[in-house]
Amino acid sequence: MALRFPRLPKLFRTSAPVARRMIDAAAGGRRGGGMGTFGPINPEVSAGATLTRSRARYLANNNPWLSNGVDNWAAALVGAGIRPTPRADDADTRRSRSFETWADDADAAGRTDFWGLQRDIARHLIVDGEALVLIHDDADGITLQTVSPEQLDEAKTVELGGGRLIVSGVEFDAQGRRVAYRILPHRPMRPSPTTPRQSVSMLPTCCTSCAP
């Protein structure tokens, strides 16, 4: 009786294997079988931004390693504060002194100075992924107000017609330019109407959920 070795021919290939063009990230098998996928950026960010931000804040405040990392990263970004360096002439020196005087009272809330605002912005960027700053220009001069990222009305997404639309609280014109931000007057602990802010009065340092 003849013995059969069904797998033996595979050990002694007589021809080269057929090459296949393939992207490993799109392949199946054990490596990619349990891997998640990512859809269009706006729905993904809108659905996960609140939970992701909440978890990041929890870890930044309760995990000593991450808390220390946030502090070190913020210090690496702004240090003791980013400030202009004057040149040798007297005019530039006077401008620098004027800037230093303004910087002491730059915070619209009166909590800190311009250098403290920079650190707040850096921390928002690291922990929340974005930072928003309102620019106030009134009789007392220009002041800056940091806005908590959740005050951006992320639930507001609507078509306005004529190519204009609002995506997660950010209004775009027909050319895809940001023209306004829908800002809640208070943190969303209670229902409140949104207030549109013109883009010239808004300084979005980074906005992960603002793509037209």
Side-chain angles (χ1 to χ4, degrees):
M1 185 171 119
L3 297 178
R4 296 183 178 181
F5 300 94
R7 298 186 181 182
L8 191 59
K10 296 182 180 179
L11 300 177
F12 303 97
R13 294 183 182 274
T14 58
S15 61
V18 178
R20 291 186 301 171
R21 181 177 291 122
M22 182 177 63
I23 300 175
D24 284 348
R30 291 179 298 174
R31 288 183 300 172
M35 188 182 302
T37 58
F38 204 81
I41 183 65
N42 287 327
E44 295 284 357
V45 172
S46 298
T50 300
L51 180 58
T52 303
R53 181 168 55 230
S54 177
R55 287 174 174 172
R57 289 179 176 177
Y58 174 85
L59 292 172
N61 286 280
N62 292 280
N63 186 304
W65 295 99
L66 293 180
S67 179
N68 187 54
V70 170
D71 291 339
N72 289 337
W73 198 350
L77 286 174
V78 299
I82 302 171
R83 62 186 68 209
T85 302
R87 297 179 180 176
D89 55 63
D90 293 339
D92 287 324
T93 301
R94 288 194 297 270
R95 292 190 190 100
S96 178
R97 290 175 180 172
S98 298
F99 182 84
E100 294 283 345
T101 301
W102 169 82
D104 289 338
D105 300 316
D107 185 9
R111 300 178 301 105
T112 183
D113 52 20
F114 183 59
W115 327 119
L117 286 173
Q118 291 182 30
R119 188 169 182 84
D120 289 345
I121 292 170
R123 185 174 178 85
H124 276 304
L125 282 174
I126 297 165
V127 178
D128 300 326
E130 59 186 351
L132 300 174
V133 180
L134 279 176
I135 304 175
H136 299 278
D137 188 2
D138 50 31
D140 296 329
I142 295 176
T143 55
L144 307 176
Q145 176 190 351
T146 55
V147 178
S148 182
E150 60 261 33
Q151 284 185 241
L152 183 65
D153 191 1
E154 297 170 336
K156 187 75 170 181
T157 298
V158 64
E159 293 276 354
L160 300 176
R164 299 180 302 116
L165 72 161
I166 298 174
V167 179
S168 298
V170 183
E171 184 175 337
F172 297 88
D173 64 11
Q175 285 72 42
R177 296 171 298 193
R178 294 169 175 83
V179 296
Y181 296 83
R182 300 285 167 166
I183 302 297
L184 299 169
H186 306 286
R187 293 191 178 188
M189 291 180 282
R190 62 180 185 274
S192 57
T194 59
T195 302
R197 299 280 187 176
Q198 295 301 318
S199 59
V200 293
S201 301
M202 199 73 179
L203 180 62
T205 309
C206 177
C207 192
T208 57
S209 59
C210 303

